[in-house]
Amino acid sequence: MLTDKEKLEKMAMLGVELNKVRDVDILLERVLSDARSFVNADAGSIYIRDKESLNFTYSQNDSLQTRIPEGEKLIYSTFTMPIDKKSIAGYVAATGEPLNIADVYRIEPTAPYGFSKKFDEKSGYTTRSVFTVPLMTTRGDVLGILQIINAQDENEQIIPFSENDERMLLHFAGIASVALLRAQLTRTILLRMIRMSELRDPKETGAHVNRVGSYSVEIYTHWARRNQIDSKEIERNRDSLRMAAMLHDVGKVAISDQILKKPGKLTDEEFEEMKHHTTIGARLFLDAQSEFDEVAQEVALNHHERWDGDGYPGYVDVETGAPLKGYPLVGGKPRGKKGEEIPIFGRIVALADIYDALSHARIYKEAWDESKVLETMRYESGRKLDPVLVEIFFSRLHVLRSIQHRYKED
Ligand code: C2E
Ligand code: SIN
Ligand code: SIN
Ligand code: FE
Ligand code: FE
């Protein structure tokens, strides 16, 4: 539990810290865990507003977490609720006013809102004290809702949220809202960039790239823990990788519609043209301004290299696409990178991209059954894919499935 002095110090750092996080998903996880640690709360959730509804987006619950193996994540089903005064979260979003409830099982019968027992009944958890605060812009637009659940005293007994907790969380919500608005703008711009490149079709959505981003982060996190990478570095890399992975195919912006949207198989010549999307994508990030640009370049360039060395583009000069001097040519072409010569983020996104491409329909192919997808993933271990990553892939399959569920084609 944090002392008051520690809380103040931490609060002072937060504006700076949170504003370094650029990816929305990573930011929300951070906001929730920081908010909970300020008031020693057992659980919490974030809802993000989408027009007239709230989407249940993130949730953490320490008590439920202890019932599952260490390092695992709780998997919640996502749901949507209307913004109206009938639910607690809806009420706060509709009015823009925070709500501090000492015991949700004893809400005044005259209150417009009621507590839905569904989650408690399903999970065996008991919700008591709930503090709900809107995440709002300075203009008063509601971005979402932060709901903190079950404050605890030193003995982990559930207590109501104090006035001090209220003040702290209100202040915190203000800081978090600024960071959230910024991250949402970044995400919007990224999605536009992606739509412009891969999708070039107004009916398409960002579901594929969101899935590739989330799978990549999940696999990286486990790979990094195995390799004892410092947790601060993991956190920073997760943020960059998520967005970089979403942009893996941004170089397709330069590929003609005829090839990109061809319903059938590509000819050899067309495929040679298609391969340029790797170097073209990497070129966009050549003037590496930040760590993110470096990761994005690494991913765009290397996501079609193969573990066995038969991938593309191999050792090329990113700027010109010409073979890099000092590396041997194979059949007149640059030699492919092999094994750990391929940067880790390239190896990870290669796996995520193939898994997603096989699992879903493409303009040139049908979606495959999961059993066939998994058989192929196993087959590609040591061929296209890094065997260690394939092993991590299978150990995290339940999480990857929940990501598929979360970003369905719509
Ligand atoms: P993509 O659709 O994002 O596919 C990414 C990667 O997933 C592919 O890289 C390949 O490794 C794997 N993959 C996708 N579909 C299949 C499949 O049916 N069988 C197998 N075994 N693997 C599959 P690759 O081959 O380097 O292709 C890169 C990109 O080139 C693809 O990105 C897609 O945009 C395009 N492409 C590849 N083949 C065709 C094709 O026959 N027709 C069209 N129109 N485009 C193709
Ligand atoms: C709400 O804010 O009403 C939803 C949370 C819950 O019912 O557990
Ligand atoms: C995500 O970023 O969507 C979840 C992946 C993870 O946190 O491991
Ligand atoms: Fe690609
Ligand atoms: Fe792709």
Side-chain angles (χ1 to χ4, degrees):
M1 214 171 152
L2 297 174
T3 65
D4 283 348
K5 181 160 172 285
E6 284 167 344
K7 283 181 188 170
L8 282 175
E9 282 168 5
K10 197 165 173 199
M11 188 72 85
M13 290 296 298
L14 265 179
V16 181
E17 290 272 311
L18 286 185
N19 272 297
K20 281 190 202 146
V21 181
R22 286 154 306 199
D23 182 73
V24 179
D25 289 73
I26 307 279
L27 178 73
L28 295 180
E29 276 192 13
R30 231 349 250 289
V31 163
L32 199 49
S33 51
D34 285 347
R36 289 173 47 234
S37 81
F38 277 125
V39 293
N40 197 31
D42 189 45
S45 309
I46 293 184
Y47 299 74
I48 294 296
R49 188 173 72 94
D50 180 14
K51 303 194 187 78
E52 295 312 309
S53 322
L54 287 175
N55 292 331
F56 179 81
T57 307
Y58 262 99
S59 206
Q60 296 170 354
N61 187 312
D62 285 346
S63 292
L64 294 182
Q65 189 78 45
T66 59
R67 298 190 201 157
I68 59 174
E70 206 180 315
E72 288 292 309
K73 280 171 65 166
L74 285 167
I75 294 172
Y76 295 91
S77 53
T78 51
F79 61 88
T80 297
M81 62 165 87
I83 297 185
D84 60 28
K85 296 187 178 171
K86 291 186 188 135
S87 70
I88 298 167
Y91 183 88
V92 170
T95 60
E97 297 292 335
L99 208 51
N100 187 359
I101 301 175
D103 184 347
V104 288
Y105 285 89
R106 293 179 184 200
I107 293 176
E108 293 289 328
T110 52
Y113 46 81
F115 172 67
S116 146
K117 302 190 185 81
K118 260 185 295 181
F119 173 79
D120 279 9
E121 279 162 3
K122 235 175 104 182
S123 63
Y125 187 73
T126 306
T127 306
R128 288 285 173 206
S129 56
V130 174
F131 184 71
T132 311
V133 55
L135 298 169
M136 281 198 298
T137 65
T138 46
R139 276 183 19 189
D141 297 330
V142 172
L143 304 172
I145 291 297
L146 175 63
Q147 188 163 64
I148 307 297
I149 297 169
N150 285 354
Q152 305 168 109
D153 63 16
E154 310 76 48
N155 306 315
E156 300 194 359
Q157 297 303 305
I158 307 301
I159 51 171
F161 290 91
S162 67
E163 268 180 43
N164 199 25
D165 291 344
E166 267 187 45
R167 268 196 300 276
M168 191 100 77
L169 288 173
L170 276 175
H171 180 66
F172 177 78
I175 296 172
S177 301
V178 174
L180 177 59
L181 185 62
R182 239 192 62 265
Q184 286 183 332
L185 288 176
T186 307
R187 175 66 67 86
T188 305
I189 292 169
L190 280 181
L191 287 175
R192 282 187 194 141
M193 239 171 119
I194 291 157
R195 207 161 290 153
M196 190 178 74
S197 61
E198 181 163 20
L199 310 171
R200 287 208 304 232
D201 174 349
K203 280 188 305 234
E204 282 280 7
T205 69
H208 162 64
V209 292
N210 263 305
R211 288 190 302 260
V212 172
S214 293
Y215 306 147
S216 298
V217 167
E218 177 63 28
I219 289 167
Y220 168 70
T221 307
H222 286 267
W223 178 88
R225 284 202 200 123
R226 273 195 199 197
N227 288 278
Q228 264 117 48
I229 294 182
D230 172 70
S231 64
K232 279 246 159 62
E233 188 181 334
I234 297 182
E235 195 58 34
R236 276 206 320 275
N237 283 336
R238 280 163 57 90
D239 186 38
S240 296
L241 178 59
R242 194 171 197 290
M243 293 194 299
M246 289 174 80
L247 286 168
H248 69 278
D249 273 340
V250 69
K252 284 182 179 171
V253 70
I255 307 298
S256 74
D257 267 6
Q258 239 171 322
I259 295 176
L260 200 58
K261 298 198 175 148
K262 182 172 172 174
K265 213 171 155 32
L266 300 179
T267 64
D268 289 350
E269 208 172 300
E270 288 166 336
F271 193 52
E272 285 309 309
E273 182 66 32
M274 175 60 92
K275 287 178 178 176
H276 293 307
H277 81 276
T278 50
T279 37
I280 293 167
R283 217 166 286 157
L284 291 174
F285 305 102
L286 204 54
D287 56 338
Q289 309 246 351
S290 65
E291 212 169 31
F292 164 69
D293 290 304
E294 281 169 35
V295 177
Q297 186 185 140
E298 193 173 302
V299 165
L301 187 64
N302 295 298
H303 75 278
H304 288 295
E305 296 291 356
R306 294 173 51 119
W307 183 258
D308 62 14
D310 286 340
Y312 62 92
Y315 284 99
V316 291
D317 181 337
V318 172
E319 205 156 349
T320 62
L324 261 191
K325 286 200 189 77
Y327 290 89
L329 299 178
V330 179
K333 285 198 212 131
R335 178 168 89 67
K337 294 174 192 168
K338 190 174 176 161
E340 291 182 357
E341 292 172 19
I342 310 163
I344 183 62
F345 297 136
R347 271 138 64 199
I348 289 172
V349 174
L351 183 149
D353 187 32
I354 292 176
Y355 172 55
D356 203 65
L358 299 179
S359 304
H360 293 85
R362 286 281 200 269
I363 191 150
Y364 59 93
K365 64 173 278 293
E366 298 284 324
W368 293 9
D369 288 343
E370 192 186 51
S371 61
K372 193 175 166 197
V373 172
L374 298 184
E375 202 181 301
T376 305
M377 296 301 284
R378 210 176 292 280
Y379 173 83
E380 295 294 0
S381 174
R383 293 184 168 87
K384 280 185 178 170
L385 302 173
D386 177 346
V388 171
L389 295 182
V390 173
E391 196 196 313
I392 295 175
F393 167 85
F394 279 102
S395 75
R396 305 307 297 162
L397 194 55
H398 55 296
V399 177
L400 304 182
R401 284 185 186 127
S402 80
I403 292 169
Q404 296 216 351
H405 185 72
R406 177 163 168 187
Y407 298 109
K408 281 195 282 280
E409 230 77 347
D410 47 12

